[in-house]
Amino acid sequence: MTYSYISHLYCPKCSNTYSAKEQHHLCVCGSPLLVDYKLDEIKAKVTREEIAGRTHDLWRYHELLPVEDEQNKVSLGEGMTPLIAMPRLGREMSVENLYMKDEGMVPTGTFKARGAAVGISKAKELGVREFAMPTNGNAGAAWALYGARAGIKSTIVMPVDAPLITRNEVALSGAKLYLVNGLISDAGKIVAKAVNEHGLYDASTLKEPYRIEGKKTMGLEIAEQLGWTLPDVIVYPTGGGVGLIGIYKALKELKVLGWVTGDLPRLVAVQAVGCAPIVKAWEEKKAESEFWPGSASIAFGINVPKALGDFLVLKALYQTAGCAIAVDDQVMIEEQEKIAQLEGAFICPEGAAAFAAIRKLRESGWIQEGETVVALNTGAGIKYPDTVKVDVPVLEIGDSLDGKVTN
Amino acid sequence: MTYSYISHLYCPKCSNTYSAKEQHHLCVCGSPLLVDYKLDEIKAKVTREEIAGRTHDLWRYHELLPVEDEQNKVSLGEGMTPLIAMPRLGREMSVENLYMKDEGMVPTGTFKARGAAVGISKAKELGVREFAMPTNGNAGAAWALYGARAGIKSTIVMPVDAPLITRNEVALSGAKLYLVNGLISDAGKIVAKAVNEHGLYDASTLKEPYRIEGKKTMGLEIAEQLGWTLPDVIVYPTGGGVGLIGIYKALKELKVLGWVTGDLPRLVAVQAVGCAPIVKAWEEKKAESEFWPGSASIAFGINVPKALGDFLVLKALYQTAGCAIAVDDQVMIEEQEKIAQLEGAFICPEGAAAFAAIRKLRESGWIQEGETVVALNTGAGIKYPDTVKVDVPVLEIGDSLDGKVTN
């Protein structure tokens, strides 16, 4: 049985092609590479019914993933996160059919685990022994830990301001960890130098073509979990944008397979007001974004001043009649609290930004009455302890709550 | 279709019975109550094949759960956590068939979500509007958030030393949160007073009978995930012990249903050297434990000096030819690091204690060559940032890793 129907790598900018049997990073033209599959063969041999009976993780879609030998699969049970109905929040913002794809429920607590699982598995298949990457924290944590499971060494560079817990995850994995007094773009320059000088495998965002294949499984799962139908709108907090590019790629592949029909969902890229290069480019109808100077946001995962795949994100927005929208940090925090109080979900600020964007888009009429809307919550709130400020009364042993328990 | 085959509540000490249609807490004799089901009817009407095709969460076992009307289900997608093979760690400790049931991959990041989902759902069914509970942190976080989703108010009291992140989770849910300068037992006394004086629903460990039904699904899942066979040993980090009691109850129910056959697994209760009342009682062959004075452990979830259900835990150990064993805090920390480096899993100290116990039990010969062993990792390591100490080099913008990347 064929485990993967991977065909080759191709450049979405200049259409150059590359073998998937060797290590490749960027195209000679500087663009990220994408993976192509023999979709006709999959269409002929695999059915949705067959997939329904498989293991409940992202590997259920193995024909559409790049790993050719199942023995190279490096898995911690990632994928098939729940698609949770949000009825009370939905009523409050007049979006009756509101769902959250909860990516907090994966190893390492964020959706980065998907990219790491598939990226590390393929790196193992390609004989990689050691990789390097810059990170805003969560991707580094996922890659370092999956790397450890695969026996692949890693060098991780992250900003000093990255979430503290991600430092611990990376350090505990045995990776070589460095902090930089700067942004992820500064970490990227340090990694690029190390890659050149020491021949390490470059696992920077979109500089290896397989992470996106892991991320695309979010799109496959949303379709399957909605009974192989598509929602009207998918809303995604966008930093590097790999998840959005991946979801778009997944949905197009599903269309070719005939597993879904009709219009693709309108894709929405959500950014922070303090770092909104994609929003600016979209508003100006440009094909690429510009570096956003002095970027800042509490939603650290979307604090990416210039994404290598910006042109792919923008293309996905234009092609699906989607949009890009920026949310203020304070608004994210307020939305995060509303979601906890109405739906019992403690989500990350990036996820809260997605819901805040939905609220704004419904108010403006861009999202219409009765439309089905899926928000990606890209990680668990517990990874961001500092976004919540609490002032709690302290009792002594033997105290009582008299006069305190009733509001 | 009958959603639940719940029959009634019964006392495992004095055999008194109670209706499951009303709110009940402890038996008049002071013992916790357990839930009984019409297992004969389930056996006649439900098959394992039918369950295989259901939703991938703990509600797939709804006939064996206490919620009678599906409308009362309060769910965030909890359950069916992965059962992960640990081949490299297993080889290192000569336990070739070693598995981890990873309870970090649930809402709120710990197995407490199972008890909260079922406990809150049943509370909703019984018309509860407001509950109170003492907690070491994680249970309170789960109950407060599931309570919020159900529209049920909560009052939570936790030790000042409980993990900080759990404070944030509780506060964000809108619960009334209090800290106490003491242990969970001190929090328990404050809650008991509030329950008496204000008529709140008492959700303290084992003072409501339904949390255990949520926890028992870990046992159901382990059996199903092993193809309806049973492992030789199940190892569980034990504080209040509800999970172990639940797993034991689940496996006995599966035997009655005929869905599994053969001997039950030997159940192992793992505690910290600094808080080991169950271990002491087991070593002395006693039926109940004594309060452990001055208890202390970094594994906060098992820092329970006297568990209300101690006699049920001990009975499960005696009946399955299991054992109880204590692990030193420092040993847990070392095991936690080994697991991250060999298997890529960042687990909580309680989970690490379970693996450290397996290592000891294999060394002593209590676990034999070739036996299949399942360890419960009760929560994600990211909920315990302080257990990892890291010292990381800080670079300046433009620095290089020369002389640093090679060990």
Side-chain angles (χ1 to χ4, degrees), chain A residues 47 143 161 190 238 281 307 361:
Chain A
T47 63
W143 278 74
D161 291 335
I190 291 169
T238 304
L361 292 170

Side-chain angles (χ1 to χ4, degrees), chain B residues 41-213:
Chain B
E41 291 186 32
I42 298 176
K43 189 173 181 174
K45 287 176 187 156
V46 186
T47 64
R48 294 174 296 183
E49 291 68 32
E50 188 179 339
I51 286 177
R54 291 188 180 169
T55 59
H56 215 76
D57 56 36
L58 62 80
W59 299 98
R60 68 201 273 112
Y61 308 111
H62 57 77
E63 289 93 347
L64 283 163
L65 292 173
V67 179
E68 301 196 69
D69 181 347
E70 189 173 1
Q71 298 297 318
N72 292 318
K73 184 172 92 176
V74 181
S75 176
L76 288 161
E78 57 288 330
M80 284 308 267
T81 55
L83 185 68
I84 301 172
M86 305 289 266
R88 297 176 78 201
L89 186 71
R91 271 196 296 280
E92 201 236 3
M93 56 169 81
S94 298
V95 180
E96 299 288 327
N97 300 307
L98 181 62
Y99 293 90
M100 172 171 72
K101 181 75 173 156
D102 191 0
E103 294 293 306
M105 286 161 62
V106 287
T108 74
T110 82
F111 75 137
K112 300 289 183 181
R114 292 184 190 264
V118 175
I120 285 287
S121 296
K122 190 66 187 179
K124 186 180 172 193
E125 187 157 274
L126 293 170
V128 172
R129 306 288 295 274
E130 190 164 358
F131 72 87
M133 74 185 296
T135 177
N136 266 342
N138 285 319
W143 280 74
L145 283 162
Y146 278 89
R149 188 165 173 88
I152 298 176
K153 287 187 193 175
S154 56
T155 295
I156 310 286
V157 186
M158 64 170 71
V160 284
D161 291 336
L164 201 60
I165 186 69
T166 62
R167 258 190 227 182
N168 295 351
E169 291 176 275
V170 173
L172 203 69
S173 78
K176 283 163 269 183
L177 170 63
Y178 304 90
L179 304 177
V180 59
N181 251 328
L183 294 175
I184 187 173
S185 42
D186 302 305
K189 285 171 197 152
I190 292 169
V191 165
K193 230 190 276 185
V195 163
N196 282 336
E197 290 169 9
H198 302 279
L200 303 176
Y201 183 76
D202 191 347
S204 306
T205 307
L206 292 177
K207 287 193 183 168
E208 63 78 52
Y210 302 106
R211 180 198 299 211
I212 192 176
E213 297 301 303

